[in-house]
Amino acid sequence: MLEKMEILDVEKLIGDFEVMTKDAENVQRETLKMILEENGCAEYLQNMGLNGRTDPESFKACVPLVTHKDLEPYIQRVADGAFSPILTGKPITTISLSSGTTQGKPKFVPFNNELMETTLQIYHTSFAFRNREFPIENGKALQFIYSSKHSKTKGGLFAGTATTNVFRNPQFKKAMTAMQSECCSPDEVIVGPDFHQSLYCHLLCGLIFHEEIQLVSSTFAHSIVLAFRNFEQVWEELCDDIREGVLTSRITFPSVRSAMAKLLKPNPELADLIEKKCSRLSNWYGLIPELFPNVKYIYGIMTGSMEPYLKKLRHYAADVPLISADYGSSEGWIGANINPSLPPESTTYAVLPNIGYFEFIPLKENVEGHMQENGNVSFLSTEPKPVGLTEVKVGEEYEVIITSFAGLYRYRLGDVVKVMGFHNSTPELKFVCRRNLMLTINIDKNTEKDLQLAVEEAAKLIAEEKREVIDFSSNVDVSADPGHYVIFWEISGEVSDEVLKECCNCLDRSFVDAGYVSSRKVNAIGPLELRVVWKGTFHKILDHYLRLGAVVSQFKTPRYVEPTNNKVLQILGDNVAKNYFSTAF
């Protein structure tokens, strides 16, 4: 049906979504039944003793909650080419690689046609609601998307990042055409082997089609900010290319040069126009609408670890709306943004009840007991039972569990979400943080969100000097007793020692977790350390992950660097320009 469709029927998509979400509980039961019937012959499920049962009660009684570590041996056998059904009834032909920024190395995750179908359903649903609010006509999209090289596993399966597997799928281009969001860059640029060259060509294509560009997008907000930071450095060279109609010698790959040659013709008028526009901008404010006068919105994931880039993105965007893209992971999709007019900080995601089976572990109700032993207090925690999609409560926080069509059963995603409300009978979720990204030394527990809030508070002090935090990360230093938090900052320019000392104190005071504050007061945790790194340090971290096979459109700066992530710690350590210790306590 999609292949014949030129333009999506937005009202039909919204109507189908409304019907489905009014009966979310039954849709969930049917979805689980479908997953278990399709994959019941798989070894993993055979071993669980379901004996053909497909109801949620039997499923929860027989199948345990798991993490990626539990499934690794099974996924590895699939990757190694095991012939028999291991996790799914149909053979898995493709492996997705996670970004690797959380654990320091990419994870293998099964990818199949069913997962591609759920990807397209999410895309279509959110587009329908988005297009009702911000209609786009037949135009083009400036998409900063990059496809990593496909490698092959030992068993001959294709392996690439999750975004690569989507972008290389023939259905992706059809979907973009159906959504009137066709990328202005040729395929050769998207699949180009060098990210820096592809980025340059994306910018050049955007300028060539500047009047036709109706939206600017990437998988993550970070990629869009990175692109326009790059534009600040190369805009004059881009103008030269347009003026002469000849591509810069920095683009060396024949396939990319050949594709660009078909688009690039001498256009001195356009070059003069871009030069005039860039020259009159004040500190690049409003760059995006200045370059692309018909742009309707900017689109990409802007929640969670992407929130720190919103300030810079708004600077480039001026009054152009920012719309956060949908909620998913390398393991699968969860929800669509059906309220596109909300600012990114308030974005919620309505769960699509037919794209997987969802459970949620309540975080508030952890039953904590403590007992006295030799004068020490130890804590016992009993984790509550997961609840179903329609059983969650507004205002509560949960960890997400997914059962997918691609061989993950009761899989702990590690994401913490808050239920903000319901759309019909399906919950609308706000992403809070990754559960396992946690600064902790003693009885303190500070999440990625806590770190982000502390950085935002301290960054206000350098904003008064017209400076900004370009990027940041953290780790815990336990090489001496007591251990202490280390925060790494890359700053846009010079800041006085006096102000940076106050920033360090502000960071320390901004961690309001009771365990942290009490530990600091009795020196069970040492003074927080702020390490300011040289400009370009976080670009070196990006390059490190690109060498490991990550793609820039899927890259997330690691907000907490594990002690085992030696290479990233080394990059940070080798690039420290100044450091300061807190005197806040």
Side-chain angles (χ1 to χ4, degrees):
M1 183 181 168
L2 266 178
E3 292 181 21
K4 298 174 186 174
M5 194 187 295
E6 288 185 11
I7 295 175
L8 290 179
D9 185 339
V10 165
E11 292 308 318
K12 183 181 185 305
L13 280 165
I14 292 174
D16 291 347
F17 176 80
E18 295 292 347
V19 169
M20 177 174 61
T21 55
K22 282 174 182 167
D23 196 18
E25 186 178 355
N26 280 327
V27 173
Q28 277 281 275
R29 292 183 81 91
E30 286 302 309
T31 301
L32 179 63
K33 182 182 177 186
M34 200 182 304
I35 290 171
L36 296 179
E37 283 178 349
E38 280 186 13
N39 302 305
C41 62
E43 176 190 317
Y44 184 81
L45 289 177
Q46 288 279 313
N47 292 342
M48 295 299 165
L50 277 166
N51 299 323
R53 289 173 293 172
T54 61
D55 60 284
E57 295 74 22
S58 301
F59 177 64
K60 292 174 187 179
C62 296
V63 180
L65 299 176
V66 294
T67 64
H68 188 271
K69 191 175 180 181
D70 299 316
L71 294 183
E72 237 170 351
Y74 296 93
I75 297 172
Q76 194 60 56
R77 285 171 59 202
V78 171
D80 289 346
F83 182 73
S84 60
I86 305 293
L87 288 167
T88 54
K90 295 176 189 170
I92 293 285
T93 56
T94 309
I95 293 289
S96 284
L97 304 172
S98 70
S99 63
T101 50
T102 303
Q103 305 296 336
K105 62 177 183 177
K107 294 181 298 190
F108 276 15
V109 180
F111 184 91
N112 59 9
N113 289 336
E114 286 78 7
L115 212 54
M116 187 66 202
E117 284 178 23
T118 63
T119 300
L120 294 178
Q121 190 184 342
I122 286 273
Y123 282 2
H124 293 157
T125 302
S126 61
F127 172 77
F129 283 93
R130 196 165 67 248
N131 211 53
R132 191 163 69 174
E133 200 80 33
F134 304 100
I136 57 174
E137 292 145 17
N138 237 347
K140 293 186 182 293
L142 173 53
Q143 295 182 308
F144 295 104
I145 54 177
Y146 311 89
S147 172
S148 67
K149 285 181 182 175
H150 256 134
S151 57
K152 284 200 172 182
T153 67
K154 181 181 171 184
L157 275 65
F158 284 108
T161 61
T163 49
T164 295
N165 290 333
V166 170
F167 297 154
R168 284 180 177 261
N169 191 297
Q171 291 292 340
F172 174 75
K173 199 164 184 179
K174 290 173 186 169
M176 291 300 106
T177 303
M179 294 190 288
Q180 304 171 78
S181 308
E182 201 167 357
C183 184
C184 66
S185 303
D187 292 347
E188 291 84 352
V189 170
I190 297 169
V191 302
D194 180 84
F195 145 69
H196 299 283
Q197 295 190 27
S198 291
L199 169 54
Y200 184 92
C201 291
H202 277 316
L203 290 168
L204 186 54
C205 291
L207 295 176
I208 291 169
F209 295 107
H210 71 117
E211 288 189 339
E212 295 175 59
I213 300 299
Q214 296 204 24
L215 70 138
V216 174
S217 73
S218 190
T219 308
F220 288 125
H222 168 267
S223 304
I224 305 173
V225 170
L226 182 70
F228 288 104
R229 282 192 191 278
N230 192 266
F231 179 87
E232 291 182 34
Q233 310 302 319
V234 301
W235 69 275
E236 290 169 309
E237 193 173 353
L238 289 163
C239 286
D240 289 342
D241 291 359
I242 292 168
R243 179 172 282 106
E244 303 298 330
V246 178
L247 189 61
T248 174
S249 59
R250 73 159 68 204
I251 310 302
T252 57
F253 290 96
S255 60
V256 179
R257 288 196 70 86
S258 174
M260 292 302 296
K262 294 172 186 172
L263 298 178
L264 192 57
K265 304 290 182 252
N267 192 338
E269 294 84 5
L270 176 57
D272 288 344
L273 178 66
I274 295 163
E275 280 190 351
K276 184 180 175 184
K277 286 173 177 285
C278 289
S279 300
R280 72 183 181 206
L281 287 173
S282 172
N283 195 27
W284 301 102
Y285 178 79
L287 172 62
I288 292 174
E290 197 65 45
L291 294 178
F292 313 109
N294 296 309
V295 68
K296 301 286 176 60
Y297 55 84
I298 297 162
Y299 187 65
I301 294 170
M302 299 179 189
T303 53
S305 61
M306 294 298 119
E307 277 191 34
Y309 305 108
L310 288 176
K311 185 178 178 184
K312 190 66 176 178
L313 193 50
R314 284 199 170 97
H315 182 82
Y316 287 134
D319 296 328
V320 179
L322 304 184
I323 304 176
S324 189
D326 309 301
Y327 174 29
S329 65
S330 299
E331 290 87 350
W333 289 97
I334 295 141
N337 179 1
I338 63 166
N339 301 300
S341 58
L342 288 176
E345 293 89 345
S346 305
T347 297
T348 59
Y349 302 100
V351 180
L352 272 66
N354 70 335
I355 62 172
Y357 183 73
F358 301 99
E359 299 171 75
F360 300 85
I361 300 174
L363 297 185
K364 187 181 176 184
E365 298 168 14
N366 278 18
V367 182
E368 283 197 344
H370 59 273
M371 57 185 182
Q372 202 82 14
E373 191 177 323
N374 300 327
N376 295 321
V377 177
S378 62
F379 289 89
L380 299 172
S381 180
T382 307
E383 193 166 65
K385 288 183 178 178
V387 298
L389 179 68
T390 58
E391 299 169 319
V392 295
K393 296 175 182 174
V394 175
E396 301 294 321
E397 291 188 355
Y398 299 86
E399 182 187 344
V400 182
I401 303 165
I402 64 170
T403 295
S404 76
F405 284 93
L408 302 181
Y409 308 99
R410 305 199 81 199
Y411 180 95
R412 296 181 75 146
L413 202 57
D415 287 358
V416 176
V417 296
K418 185 174 184 178
V419 179
M420 305 305 290
F422 280 83
H423 183 90
N424 296 323
S425 63
T426 199
E428 293 196 42
L429 309 175
K430 180 178 174 63
F431 180 87
V432 177
C433 64
R434 294 281 298 164
R435 191 174 186 182
N436 60 345
L437 288 176
M438 194 170 287
L439 287 161
T440 180
I441 293 174
N442 189 21
I443 58 169
D444 51 311
K445 291 180 180 177
N446 281 300
T447 65
E448 179 182 0
K449 185 69 177 177
D450 297 320
L451 171 64
Q452 181 185 313
L453 291 171
V455 169
E456 283 175 4
E457 193 59 35
K460 291 175 184 174
L461 298 171
I462 65 169
E464 293 170 13
E465 300 193 9
K466 296 194 167 24
R467 297 287 183 261
E468 61 183 319
V469 176
I470 293 174
D471 225 328
F472 64 93
S473 190
S474 68
N475 77 332
V476 293
D477 185 344
V478 290
S479 59
D481 191 32
H484 67 279
Y485 290 7
V486 180
I487 313 296
F488 298 92
W489 272 13
E490 183 177 325
I491 304 174
S492 60
E494 286 294 318
V495 178
S496 69
D497 286 340
E498 185 183 346
V499 171
L500 287 171
K501 283 175 187 173
E502 188 48 46
C503 287
C504 184
N505 288 343
C506 183
L507 283 166
D508 207 0
R509 285 192 301 267
S510 296
F511 287 105
V512 294
D513 168 67
Y516 181 77
V517 174
S518 60
S519 297
R520 281 289 287 116
K521 284 179 177 176
V522 299
N523 203 36
I525 295 176
L528 179 142
E529 183 182 2
L530 172 61
R531 297 182 188 173
V532 178
V533 296
W534 296 109
K535 207 166 176 183
T537 298
F538 281 89
H539 211 294
K540 290 178 182 177
I541 292 171
L542 167 62
D543 285 338
H544 161 67
Y545 282 108
L546 294 180
R547 284 193 294 274
L548 290 179
V551 285
V552 73
S553 52
Q554 195 171 321
F555 175 76
K556 292 175 283 196
T557 297
R559 296 296 177 216
Y560 171 70
V561 184
E562 298 275 0
T564 53
N565 199 343
N566 297 322
K567 183 60 184 174
V568 172
L569 284 175
Q570 184 185 339
I571 293 169
L572 289 166
D574 289 349
N575 286 278
V576 175
K578 296 176 177 180
N579 70 315
Y580 306 88
F581 283 93
S582 167
T583 56
F585 288 86

